[in-house]
Amino acid sequence: MAIWLIRAGSHGEYEQKFIQEKRVYVTWDDLNVDLSKLQQRSELNAAMVERYPDVKPKAVLNWVGQVWPFAHDMQKGDLVVLPLKMQPAVYIGEITGGYQFEKDGPNPFFHSRSVKWIGEAVPRTHFGQDLLYSFGAFLTICRIQRHNAEQRIVAMRANGWKAETLTAMTKVAAASTDEEEIADIDLEESARDKIATLVSARFKGHGLTRLVEGILKAQGYTTYRSPEGADGGSDILAGSGFLGFSAPRLCVEVKSEDSPIGREPVDKLLGAMTKFNADQGLFVAWGGFKGNVQKELASQFFRLRLWTQKELLEQLFEQYERLDEDLKAELPLKRVWMVASQDDAL
């Protein structure tokens, strides 16, 4: 059994299609050629050169190395790892069918395999940092083998996708010093994972509410934070202006658990907004939201915002220099600049 990484678009734009249809796809535009009829990789290389004449030969070879295994190497029973962009979680699927080609697409969905999702929205924090390095590879499709990945993921499956134990992770030696791996990973995503781990450790439970309050204060809000325990429907009240009497007036709920939040807690916040006479609401869910919660709440767009770990970290980075010094001391971060080369971009 092999473990394969596959991405649902560079921005996660196809995630819901993959999940709802229980299929994984090759997402290269215009690649309407039946891969099963190609006998050699050189034939796929020629087909790609014809369809992408402006792409450098090195990049085409890289693409061939990703697309070819989808049709010729993947097997029924293999597992696929789908890291989500929309929330800090990973879907794990078991391949249940062979390669299928649909001539009429639609573009770019010409190539697919059926899967059974056996691990749904598993929090990224449940995986060791070395596995997250592999999940952060720049490649769209690749096999994951480093750091005893196959055995560790199988063990997590048997344990109900609970967080890896320290014993399982320490059996893997010097994961972060692998020069080849460091060259392959998305350093920005890796840094986010490490910062997320630090936030989880330093701001557990009600502590995350304190961090969210700090971000709102940095944005210019005057706040009231409920004591730990029953909050009466809102963890934070925030108002604009020096005394907090100006609009917009926010009612904020914060959930720090790793598991995704369903619709019911969000509906409770909507009720609390009326109770506290708030103009808008903000629901912060560190573990993200279940299924179609965001889509179902589209009618509340002008009243409610939903933040996952992704949005919270974005606001943390944006407001970091304006945070209270005590918060910065608990969460020491440093901005780093690097060259963003596009020569070999996929």
Side-chain angles (χ1 to χ4, degrees):
M1 182 198 69
I3 308 288
W4 300 90
L5 171 73
I6 189 163
R7 300 189 185 281
S10 57
H11 304 290
E13 59 268 34
Y14 307 130
E15 287 175 3
Q16 288 305 308
K17 181 178 179 67
F18 281 38
I19 292 168
Q20 292 172 5
E21 295 183 5
K22 299 180 180 179
R23 303 192 74 81
V24 290
Y25 293 89
V26 171
T27 55
W28 270 255
D29 289 326
D30 304 319
L31 192 60
N32 56 343
V33 56
D34 188 345
L35 302 177
S36 66
K37 294 182 178 179
L38 305 182
Q39 302 301 314
Q40 303 290 335
R41 291 189 180 220
S42 58
E43 296 175 78
L44 177 55
N45 191 90
M48 284 189 158
V49 168
E50 178 183 349
R51 287 164 176 76
Y52 314 117
D54 297 328
V55 176
K56 294 181 179 180
K58 184 178 178 181
V60 171
L61 282 173
N62 190 307
W63 291 358
V64 169
Q66 296 179 65
V67 173
W68 182 265
F70 189 90
H72 296 274
D73 296 337
M74 290 184 182
Q75 304 291 328
K76 291 182 182 179
D78 285 355
L79 301 186
V80 294
V81 174
L82 175 65
L84 301 185
K85 289 284 190 179
M86 302 304 179
Q87 60 176 301
V90 175
Y91 265 68
I92 311 289
E94 180 179 333
I95 297 176
T96 58
Y99 165 77
Q100 293 187 14
F101 172 69
E102 293 292 339
K103 181 179 179 181
D104 297 324
N107 195 12
F109 307 110
F110 303 106
H111 320 275
S112 69
R113 284 181 177 269
S114 60
V115 298
K116 176 176 67 176
W117 296 115
I118 58 175
E120 299 186 16
V122 182
R124 290 180 66 90
T125 51
H126 284 199
F127 299 91
Q129 185 62 56
D130 52 350
L131 288 184
L132 292 178
Y133 279 148
S134 295
F135 297 170
F138 280 114
L139 303 177
T140 301
I141 303 171
C142 67
R143 185 174 177 180
I144 299 174
Q145 296 178 280
R146 292 170 175 152
H147 313 306
N148 203 24
E150 295 172 4
Q151 290 83 349
R152 290 167 65 187
I153 290 177
V154 168
M156 289 181 69
R157 179 183 184 180
N159 198 31
W161 302 110
K162 295 178 182 177
E164 280 198 284
T165 65
L166 182 61
T167 301
M169 288 185 280
T170 53
K171 285 182 180 179
V172 183
S176 62
T177 59
D178 187 323
E179 293 184 1
E180 180 184 357
E181 180 168 43
I182 291 172
D184 288 344
I185 66 171
D186 184 333
L187 294 176
E188 183 177 359
E189 186 172 85
S190 174
R192 280 177 175 266
D193 283 332
K194 289 183 178 180
I195 293 169
T197 299
L198 183 60
V199 170
S200 293
R202 297 282 175 87
F203 298 93
K204 295 179 180 178
H206 196 64
L208 190 64
T209 301
R210 185 164 55 88
L211 179 60
V212 172
E213 181 189 33
I215 292 172
L216 292 172
K217 286 182 175 180
Q219 291 175 335
Y221 285 98
T222 300
T223 63
Y224 166 79
R225 173 163 48 92
S226 297
E228 189 169 0
D231 55 28
S234 177
D235 287 314
I236 302 170
L237 299 176
S240 297
F242 179 70
L243 295 177
F245 294 153
S246 302
R249 296 181 292 269
L250 304 182
C251 193
V252 185
E253 186 72 6
V254 181
K255 297 293 185 184
S256 61
E257 55 259 42
D258 287 333
S259 55
I261 297 298
R263 177 69 184 268
E264 184 178 350
V266 185
D267 287 337
K268 288 183 178 179
L269 175 62
L270 290 170
M273 288 164 55
T274 301
K275 172 184 175 181
F276 290 106
N277 197 29
D279 302 306
Q280 283 103 25
L282 170 64
F283 200 113
V284 182
W286 183 253
F289 297 90
K290 292 182 179 178
N292 288 329
V293 170
Q294 302 218 30
K295 184 177 181 180
E296 292 170 2
L297 289 167
S299 61
Q300 301 294 332
F301 178 80
F302 294 108
R303 297 183 65 220
L304 180 69
R305 283 292 176 270
L306 304 179
W307 280 7
T308 66
Q309 182 186 120
K310 176 177 179 291
E311 288 78 19
L312 177 56
L313 290 180
E314 287 174 351
Q315 289 302 313
L316 171 64
F317 301 152
E318 184 174 331
Q319 303 297 333
Y320 184 77
E321 295 302 329
R322 290 184 284 274
L323 289 181
D324 180 271
E325 292 300 322
D326 289 340
L327 281 176
K328 287 195 285 186
E330 291 181 79
L331 193 59
L333 303 180
K334 179 179 180 181
R335 189 186 299 272
V336 178
W337 295 95
M338 64 185 71
V339 174
S341 175
Q342 300 297 317
D343 291 346
D344 298 321
L346 301 182

